[in-house]
Amino acid sequence: MAKNNAGYLGVSEPISLSGPTEKDLIQTAEVEKFLADAGLYESQDQAVSREEVLGKLDQTVKAWIKKATRVSGYGEQFVQEANAKIFTFGSYRLGVHGPGADIDTLCVGPRHATRNDYFFRCLHDMLAEMPEVSELHPVPDAHVPVLGFKLCGVSIDLLYANLAHVVIPDDLDLSQDSILHNVDEQAVRSLNGCRVTDQILRLVPNIPSFRTTLRFMRYWGKRRGVYSNVIGFLGGINWAILVARICQLYPNASPSMLISRFFRVFSQWKWPNPVILCHIEEGPLSLPVWDPRRNFRDRGHQMPIITPAYPCMNSSYNVSSSTKYVMIQEFTRGFEICQAIDENRATWDDLFEPYPFFELYRNYLEIGITARNEDDLRNWKGWVESRLRQLVLKFERYTHEMLLAHPHPRDFSDGSRPLHSFYFMGLWRKQTAQPQEAEQFDIRGIVNEFKISVLAYVHRREGMDIEVSHVKRKDIPLFVFPGGVRPPRSSRTAGRNSRAVSRNDVTPDRHVGNPLETESWSDPQSAQDGSGGYQSTSLLPSNLSSRETQNILNGHLNLHTETVEHEHPGRFLESPPAPGDNAVVDVVTQPNSMPSTSSNGGPTNGLGICFNSSQKESEGIRVNNLVSSPPAPVDELVSYQAKPDNKHGPPHGSSLEGCSERILGQTCNLSSHGNNHLKRKAEDELEPLELACPSVRATPASTVQRKPLRYPCTTYIWK
């Protein structure tokens, strides 16, 4: 463990040093039994088999590097000294992998064994000739180039980095920053997988508790549909960093305590304040690190989760506004259920109920893809899946975040149609303080632009096609449901009716604890439409035939929205409009940045927000400004954002993850009488909840070497 001079791990003091009570130990035993019953631990035979596979892979790369060295023209003596090493990272290295999980591996080779000429050609050909290898799939153009395959039935993701070394020593230490000298960006990203994983293990106070908690949270994220980095949720490294931070804040807590604290902290975290495990160092190599003071792109990150190894990067840059709202809602739900478990009103099974994705929205997008054979479909799926996040971002950008999209993290297959795969997105309109009527979103241009970008795939082959269509909830195909049977409405609402845990609102500004109104799980009808599901954006007039709606997104009709009282189960309420002229924005003129729409009928209003004629003002249509400056935040926690120049640095008393006693008290008092989210039992010990970072003051560019990003950290008591 790498403790700092103050004797603790992390960038701030622990919130609590309390250990587990007898009840906590009992709950931890229940957690471990739950994980075992869920089949999340592999058997001893499976563990031995994985070790044998890694040994065979190590032998293969050593034979490959000798062959590559000989082909490069080196002498026989140098050929015999040539070496390559295999390192593991990800879930396997962290010790949280389960049966059937793939193994993330890194091959490190010498400088003469280049990636394109030797790794993706010579090694690829060697693996292709091995009978034990199947499903060989090279991806040389990826952000992190990878060679995927199965070796003896075990899935392997193999990265590669050729170092500046002439010979790779057997005792190579990847934790040293000097390892990054004279390597390209792709090699840096490949090396960082191992460097980050090892650094996380150094920065947690109790590795067994960390592993149990992380295994629990990974399984929970998959069950609740928020585990997928490529789609825009969180991936394995994101969950590991979040859990590691909770372990730092509660170093003596048991896994059951850490799980509850995880939900409590991150349901109230003031994003985009970053989650960091150690101070961000500039390093000796002038590699770019995450720094919103100087890097414009870093300021737009929604949920920064910073890797602890140099160069420190944001591992969650794929998160969008839509997926962030979904995850905050899920963290809130998790905290409420953990409170109920502590009060013997719920069980761990309640926490893992599958996410009812196909019941929450009125309207969905169905993205169907097809290919000629299995290999083409696998490649095509990988490409389309990587582009779905861009479609979500387009919805947010062109509708000013009024139309949000919730992508399902996995694909579906229809048994009656081989070589087809389907993705789904739920659509909803963000609730505003003053909802407008007859609102329209013409998203044809967005969909067409998305299809064009997907079809521009450089490795696209004949037969690789994509189709995007609108599907209402009642018309969702049966193959997405378990067993191909749509669950009856009564059973779908029974689970929600049986709960008495309060459900908090999530807002764009404060995320949780909306003071305006609350709802109880015991009364789910308050946020449901007449058919029992939550209302969302209505894209089509009710009088359209099924034939007209089938290909609506190919440019035949406009997509309309109806005014609804409750849009999304989280009911994201926008801030009230500012008074005066500052509260209006002209949306008549289509910005040049908006994609053009089809001319096949319907108004060509692009992606603008339109209203009925009664709301028009002469030649312009003016609506409440939905992106105007909001009123002062309720809790006024400091945001991590660029500020004007300040020679004195952060203000005295600001903390990297601290908030004041007065402010936290205000936050708690705003909850309504029936809101359990911020309530604490009288017998609970008072603990500070460190949720904010100091303001980062921008400094003018200079030739002086920049100092590490270190800020004074103080701890305040939450009363």
Side-chain angles (χ1 to χ4, degrees), residues 377-684:
L377 182 61
R378 182 168 57 250
N379 296 337
W380 189 228
K381 282 172 59 177
W383 168 252
V384 172
E385 189 172 289
S386 70
R387 307 307 299 173
L388 292 178
R389 170 179 168 269
Q390 297 300 323
L391 179 57
V392 175
L393 293 176
K394 291 179 190 298
F395 281 131
E396 296 174 357
R397 182 183 308 120
Y398 294 134
T399 65
H400 307 288
E401 294 192 5
M402 283 302 298
L403 182 63
L404 302 180
H406 178 181
H408 196 287
R410 55 157 290 196
D411 64 290
F412 295 86
S413 298
D414 184 359
S416 63
R417 288 185 285 178
L419 300 179
H420 283 71
S421 191
F422 300 88
Y423 297 89
F424 291 87
M425 287 187 182
L427 300 177
W428 84 91
R429 181 174 62 85
K430 184 189 295 184
Q431 180 74 12
T432 62
Q434 296 180 358
Q436 305 292 335
E437 296 183 358
E439 190 170 359
Q440 297 177 342
F441 292 105
D442 184 355
I443 65 172
R444 294 172 300 171
I446 300 176
V447 172
N448 289 336
E449 186 180 86
F450 167 72
K451 292 172 65 176
I452 291 173
S453 67
V454 169
L455 294 174
Y457 180 43
V458 294
H459 301 292
R460 185 186 175 210
R461 297 183 179 181
E462 185 179 358
M464 292 182 175
D465 292 319
I466 180 172
E467 180 182 352
V468 182
S469 57
H470 163 251
V471 180
K472 291 189 176 182
R473 181 175 57 222
K474 61 184 180 62
D475 298 323
I476 290 292
L478 296 179
F479 60 78
V480 306
F481 299 105
V485 178
R486 187 187 305 272
R489 178 63 57 183
S490 57
S491 65
R492 282 183 271 174
T493 59
R496 292 192 292 265
N497 288 332
S498 63
R499 280 168 178 64
V501 184
S502 66
R503 191 186 194 95
N504 291 298
D505 293 87
V506 180
T507 70
D509 298 323
R510 294 176 289 278
H511 306 308
V512 66
N514 173 27
L516 299 179
E517 55 183 337
T518 59
E519 68 182 71
S520 171
W521 285 2
S522 61
D523 185 22
Q525 298 300 326
S526 63
Q528 294 179 13
D529 59 18
S531 57
Y534 292 98
Q535 296 185 3
S536 61
T537 304
S538 176
L539 299 179
L540 301 172
S542 58
N543 58 352
L544 292 181
S545 66
S546 60
R547 181 182 182 87
E548 290 174 313
T549 61
Q550 184 175 4
N551 298 317
I552 189 167
L553 297 185
N554 293 327
H556 297 291
L557 289 172
N558 261 1
L559 303 183
H560 299 257
T561 64
E562 298 173 355
T563 300
V564 294
E565 181 178 359
H566 303 297
E567 294 296 342
H568 184 266
R571 294 194 299 182
F572 307 134
L573 294 179
E574 187 61 270
S575 302
D581 294 337
N582 294 331
V584 294
V585 60
D586 197 338
V587 296
V588 171
T589 304
Q590 175 177 312
N592 295 331
S593 60
M594 289 185 178
S596 60
T597 60
S598 171
S599 60
N600 297 335
T604 57
N605 59 338
L607 303 173
I609 303 174
C610 299
F611 294 82
N612 59 25
S613 57
S614 63
Q615 295 170 301
K616 295 182 179 180
E617 298 178 6
S618 65
E619 297 180 357
I621 305 176
R622 311 179 74 82
V623 298
N624 287 330
N625 186 1
L626 302 173
V627 292
S628 60
S629 300
V634 174
D635 50 18
E636 298 181 357
L637 291 180
V638 184
S639 297
Y640 195 105
Q641 58 187 357
K643 295 287 182 72
D645 183 22
N646 188 329
K647 298 180 180 179
H648 303 290
H652 177 69
S654 62
S655 68
L656 189 62
E657 295 178 26
C659 51
S660 69
E661 170 184 355
R662 175 185 60 82
I663 290 169
L664 283 172
Q666 291 176 353
T667 304
C668 294
N669 292 335
L670 283 173
S671 297
S672 63
H673 179 71
N675 192 340
N676 289 339
H677 181 68
L678 297 179
K679 286 183 179 179
R680 295 298 306 241
K681 299 187 297 295
E683 63 269 18
D684 280 353

Side-chain angles (χ1 to χ4, degrees), residues 92-219:
Y92 185 82
R93 177 70 180 91
L94 291 172
V96 295
H97 62 286
D102 59 357
I103 305 179
D104 296 314
T105 56
L106 168 69
C107 175
V108 176
R111 62 186 180 188
H112 62 271
T114 59
R115 182 182 300 104
N116 292 332
D117 293 335
Y118 291 98
F119 181 74
F120 280 111
R121 292 184 182 178
C122 184
L123 180 58
H124 174 274
D125 295 342
M126 287 183 62
L127 292 172
E129 295 174 357
M130 296 174 59
E132 307 97 327
V133 174
S134 61
E135 299 183 14
L136 186 59
H137 177 51
V139 190
D141 300 327
H143 187 66
V144 181
V146 60
L147 192 62
F149 56 92
K150 283 189 176 181
L151 179 59
C152 301
V154 177
S155 296
I156 303 287
D157 285 337
L158 182 61
L159 311 183
Y160 180 68
N162 58 317
L163 307 181
H165 295 60
V166 177
V167 177
I168 301 299
D170 286 328
D171 59 348
L172 181 67
D173 183 7
L174 296 183
S175 65
Q176 301 298 319
D177 291 345
S178 59
I179 206 76
L180 304 177
H181 276 291
N182 299 321
V183 299
D184 58 22
E185 292 184 4
Q186 292 174 320
V188 170
R189 289 192 287 265
S190 299
L191 288 166
N192 253 19
C194 293
R195 288 164 53 81
V196 168
T197 303
D198 292 343
Q199 185 72 349
I200 289 175
L201 292 175
R202 296 188 189 100
L203 290 171
V204 294
N206 188 317
I207 292 180
S209 294
F210 164 76
R211 284 174 170 165
T212 300
T213 306
L214 179 55
R215 193 184 295 271
F216 184 98
M217 294 309 307
R218 284 164 55 94
Y219 183 55

